[in-house]
Coordinates of all heavy atoms in Angstrom, one line a residue:
G1 N 0.8 -1.2 0.0 CA 0.0 0.0 0.0 C 0.9 1.2 0.0 O 0.4 2.3 -0.4
V2 N 2.1 1.1 0.4 CA 3.1 2.2 0.3 C 3.6 2.3 -1.1 O 4.2 1.3 -1.6 CB 4.3 2.0 1.3 CG1 5.3 3.1 1.2 CG2 3.8 1.8 2.7
K3 N 3.2 3.3 -1.8 CA 3.6 3.5 -3.2 C 4.9 4.2 -3.4 O 5.2 5.1 -2.6 CB 2.5 4.2 -4.0 CG 1.1 3.5 -3.9 CD 1.1 2.1 -4.3 CE -0.2 1.5 -4.3 NZ -0.2 0.1 -4.2
L4 N 5.7 3.9 -4.4 CA 6.9 4.6 -4.7 C 6.6 5.4 -5.9 O 6.5 4.9 -7.0 CB 8.1 3.6 -4.9 CG 8.5 2.9 -3.6 CD1 9.6 1.9 -4.0 CD2 8.9 3.8 -2.6
G5 N 6.4 6.7 -5.7 CA 6.1 7.6 -6.9 C 7.4 8.3 -7.3 O 8.1 7.8 -8.2
C6 N 7.7 9.4 -6.8 CA 8.8 10.3 -7.3 C 10.1 10.0 -6.6 O 11.1 10.3 -7.2 CB 8.4 11.7 -7.0 SG 8.3 12.2 -5.3
G7 N 10.1 9.4 -5.4 CA 11.4 9.2 -4.7 C 12.0 10.5 -4.2 O 13.2 10.4 -3.8
E8 N 11.3 11.6 -4.3 CA 11.9 12.9 -3.9 C 11.0 13.6 -2.9 O 11.2 14.8 -2.6 CB 12.1 13.7 -5.1 CG 13.1 13.1 -6.1 CD 13.2 13.9 -7.4 OE1 12.5 14.9 -7.6 OE2 14.1 13.6 -8.2
G9 N 10.0 13.0 -2.4 CA 9.1 13.6 -1.4 C 8.1 14.7 -2.0 O 7.6 15.5 -1.3
E10 N 7.9 14.6 -3.3 CA 7.1 15.6 -4.0 C 5.6 15.2 -4.2 O 4.8 16.0 -4.3 CB 7.7 16.0 -5.3 CG 9.0 16.6 -5.3 CD 9.0 18.0 -4.6 OE1 8.0 18.7 -4.8 OE2 10.0 18.4 -4.0
C11 N 5.4 13.8 -4.2 CA 4.1 13.4 -4.7 C 3.2 12.9 -3.5 O 2.0 12.9 -3.6 CB 4.2 12.3 -5.7 SG 4.8 10.7 -5.1
G12 N 3.8 12.4 -2.4 CA 3.0 11.9 -1.3 C 2.5 10.5 -1.4 O 1.8 10.0 -0.5
A13 N 2.8 9.8 -2.5 CA 2.3 8.5 -2.7 C 2.9 7.5 -1.6 O 2.2 6.5 -1.3 CB 2.6 8.0 -4.1
C14 N 4.0 7.8 -1.1 CA 4.6 7.0 -0.1 C 4.3 7.3 1.4 O 4.9 6.8 2.3 CB 6.1 7.0 -0.3 SG 6.9 8.6 0.1
T15 N 3.3 8.2 1.5 CA 3.0 8.7 2.9 C 2.6 7.6 3.8 O 1.7 6.7 3.5 CB 1.9 9.8 2.8 OG1 2.3 10.9 2.0 CG2 1.5 10.3 4.2
V16 N 3.2 7.6 5.0 CA 2.8 6.7 6.1 C 2.7 7.6 7.3 O 3.1 8.7 7.3 CB 3.8 5.5 6.3 CG1 3.9 4.7 5.1 CG2 5.1 6.1 6.8
L17 N 2.1 7.0 8.4 CA 2.1 7.7 9.7 C 3.2 7.2 10.5 O 3.3 6.0 10.8 CB 0.8 7.5 10.4 CG -0.5 8.1 9.6 CD1 -1.7 7.8 10.5 CD2 -0.3 9.5 9.3
L18 N 4.1 8.1 11.0 CA 5.2 7.8 11.8 C 4.9 8.4 13.2 O 4.9 9.7 13.3 CB 6.5 8.3 11.2 CG 7.8 8.0 12.0 CD1 8.0 6.5 12.0 CD2 9.0 8.7 11.3
N19 N 4.6 7.6 14.1 CA 4.1 8.1 15.5 C 3.0 9.0 15.3 O 2.9 10.1 16.0 CB 5.3 8.7 16.3 CG 6.3 7.7 16.7 OD1 5.9 6.5 16.9 ND2 7.5 8.1 16.9
G20 N 2.1 8.7 14.3 CA 0.9 9.5 14.1 C 1.0 10.7 13.2 O 0.0 11.3 12.9
L21 N 2.2 11.0 12.7 CA 2.4 12.1 11.9 C 2.7 11.7 10.4 O 3.4 10.7 10.2 CB 3.5 13.0 12.3 CG 3.4 13.6 13.7 CD1 4.6 14.3 14.2 CD2 2.2 14.5 13.8
P22 N 2.1 12.3 9.4 CA 2.4 11.9 8.1 C 3.8 12.2 7.6 O 4.3 13.4 7.9 CB 1.3 12.7 7.2 CG 1.0 13.8 8.1 CD 1.2 13.4 9.5
V23 N 4.5 11.3 7.0 CA 5.8 11.5 6.5 C 5.9 10.8 5.1 O 5.2 9.9 4.8 CB 6.9 10.9 7.4 CG1 6.9 11.6 8.8 CG2 6.8 9.4 7.5
N24 N 6.8 11.4 4.3 CA 7.1 10.8 3.0 C 8.2 9.7 3.3 O 9.3 10.0 3.6 CB 7.7 11.8 2.0 CG 6.6 12.8 1.6 OD1 5.5 12.5 1.4 ND2 7.0 14.1 1.5
S25 N 7.7 8.5 3.3 CA 8.6 7.4 3.7 C 9.8 7.2 2.7 O 10.8 6.5 3.0 CB 7.9 6.1 3.8 OG 7.3 5.7 2.6
C26 N 9.7 7.8 1.5 CA 10.9 7.7 0.6 C 12.0 8.6 1.0 O 13.2 8.4 0.6 CB 10.4 8.1 -0.8 SG 10.1 9.8 -1.1
L27 N 11.7 9.6 1.9 CA 12.8 10.5 2.4 C 13.3 10.1 3.8 O 14.2 10.8 4.3 CB 12.2 11.9 2.5 CG 11.8 12.5 1.1 CD1 11.3 13.9 1.4 CD2 12.9 12.5 0.1
V28 N 12.7 9.2 4.5 CA 13.1 8.8 5.8 C 13.9 7.5 5.8 O 13.5 6.5 5.2 CB 11.8 8.5 6.7 CG1 12.2 8.0 8.1 CG2 10.9 9.8 6.8
F29 N 15.1 7.6 6.3 CA 15.9 6.4 6.4 C 15.2 5.5 7.5 O 14.7 5.9 8.5 CB 17.3 6.6 6.9 CG 18.2 7.3 5.8 CD1 18.8 8.5 6.0 CD2 18.4 6.6 4.6 CE1 19.5 9.1 5.1 CE2 19.2 7.2 3.6 CZ 19.7 8.4 3.8
A30 N 15.1 4.2 7.2 CA 14.5 3.2 8.1 C 15.0 3.3 9.5 O 14.2 3.3 10.4 CB 14.6 1.8 7.5
L31 N 16.3 3.5 9.6 CA 16.9 3.6 11.0 C 16.4 4.8 11.8 O 16.4 4.8 13.0 CB 18.4 3.6 10.9 CG 19.1 2.3 10.5 CD1 20.6 2.4 10.3 CD2 18.7 1.2 11.5
E32 N 15.9 5.8 11.1 CA 15.3 7.0 11.8 C 14.0 6.6 12.5 O 13.6 7.3 13.4 CB 15.0 8.1 10.8 CG 16.3 8.7 10.2 CD 15.9 9.8 9.3 OE1 15.6 11.0 9.7 OE2 15.9 9.6 8.1

């Protein structure tokens, strides 16, 4: 369900909630 669109945080297709806040998961390192 997590889509990979632009890979640059511009499209929002990869948005997930991280501790309840929306983030572009393509811009977040998993270790973060």
Side-chain angles (χ1 to χ4, degrees):
V2 178
K3 305 301 183 201
L4 295 176
C6 66
E8 298 176 354
E10 296 292 327
C11 72
C14 67
T15 300
V16 299
L17 299 180
L18 183 63
N19 290 336
L21 299 175
V23 299
N24 292 321
S25 62
C26 71
L27 297 181
V28 175
F29 287 121
L31 288 175
E32 292 179 81

